[in-house]
């Protein structure tokens, strides 16, 4: 089958028809991205209520459905504004991989950093990552272990705080 037949045009109009189709695809991709962003933003209210208090640190570790890395970072930025002292883990399954974004407030850096928390998670989901003390990103491949990894975060933070008090 020729390209002209697929695009339902004659060969003289092929280039303009192809450019029109490409522009339509880009427009649809932007609409999908905007929709996903609105959907993720609409979940913020629910996320604000899911923080758990561990000593003086607000801890949140959740999976965000249908979010790419950019959206995870944008949600992270919004969630960080809600608390002065926080440890936040956001994860999303993208295809057959897990994307993870971790944020830790500066006031927690004496006990642990975002890189430490990311390593705790990526070790469980067969992944890796890196970043700064306040923000780290990574990923993994073991989707079956994601829920358990996220559920382990509160206990991990609590244990580190207990250990840092003992020192």
């Amino acid at each position: 089958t020729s390209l002209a037949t697929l695009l339902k045009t004659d060969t003289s109009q092929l280039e303009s028809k192809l450019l029109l189709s490409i522009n339509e695809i880009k427009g649809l991709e932007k609409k999908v991205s905007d929709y996903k962003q609105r959907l993720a933003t609409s979940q913020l209210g629910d996320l604000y209520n899911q923080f758990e208090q561990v000593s003086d640190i607000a801890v949140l570790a959740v999976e965000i459905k249908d979010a790419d890395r950019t959206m995870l970072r944008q949600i992270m930025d919004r969630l960080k504004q809600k608390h002065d002292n926080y440890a936040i883990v956001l994860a999303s399954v993208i295809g057959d991989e897990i994307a993870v974004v971790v944020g830790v407030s500066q006031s927690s850096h004496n006990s642990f950093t975002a890189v430490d928390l990311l390593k705790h998670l990526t070790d469980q989901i067969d992944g890796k990552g890196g970043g700064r003390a306040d923000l780290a990103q990574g990923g993994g491949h073991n989707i079956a272990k994601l829920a358990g990894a996220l559920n382990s975060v509160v206990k991990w933070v609590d244990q580190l705080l207990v250990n840092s008090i003992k020192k």
Side-chain angles (χ1 to χ4, degrees), residues 54 57 59 87 112 117 153-162:
V54 178
I57 300 175
V59 180
F112 63 95
L117 182 48
V153 170
V154 170
K155 184 176 180 180
W156 183 85
V157 169
D158 186 48
Q159 191 62 47
L160 280 177
L161 292 176
V162 167

Side-chain angles (χ1 to χ4, degrees), residues 42-147:
S42 73
Q43 296 174 358
L44 280 175
D46 292 337
L47 294 175
Y48 290 141
N49 298 326
Q50 293 180 41
F51 276 90
E52 293 185 47
Q53 207 62 34
V54 178
S55 185
D56 65 336
I57 300 175
V59 180
L60 177 68
V62 294
E63 179 181 353
I64 307 291
K65 302 285 185 198
D66 299 318
D68 60 20
R69 291 178 190 280
T70 301
M71 281 187 257
L72 291 177
R73 286 189 302 272
Q74 290 171 346
I75 294 168
M76 174 71 68
D77 289 341
R78 301 281 289 280
L79 291 171
K80 290 189 313 189
Q81 296 171 7
K82 191 76 170 168
H83 297 279
D84 292 331
N85 203 1
Y86 57 83
I88 303 171
V89 176
L90 302 177
S92 185
V93 176
I94 303 169
D96 61 350
E97 293 188 3
I98 303 165
V100 181
V101 177
V102 177
V104 172
S105 59
Q106 184 174 359
S107 55
S108 301
H109 293 174
N110 289 337
S111 303
F112 63 95
T113 67
V115 175
D116 299 331
L117 182 48
L118 179 66
K119 181 165 178 23
H120 167 72
L121 278 141
T122 55
D123 284 350
Q124 296 177 66
I125 59 173
D126 302 332
K128 60 184 178 178
R132 305 182 312 259
D134 64 326
L135 183 68
Q137 299 179 77
H141 301 285
N142 197 333
I143 296 169
K145 291 189 176 181
L146 177 59

Side-chain angles (χ1 to χ4, degrees), residues 20-34:
L20 182 64
S21 295
I22 290 170
N23 287 334
E24 284 179 30
I25 290 168
K26 286 181 181 178
L28 291 172
E29 287 172 342
K30 176 148 179 37
K31 283 183 181 181
V32 168
S33 177
D34 290 347

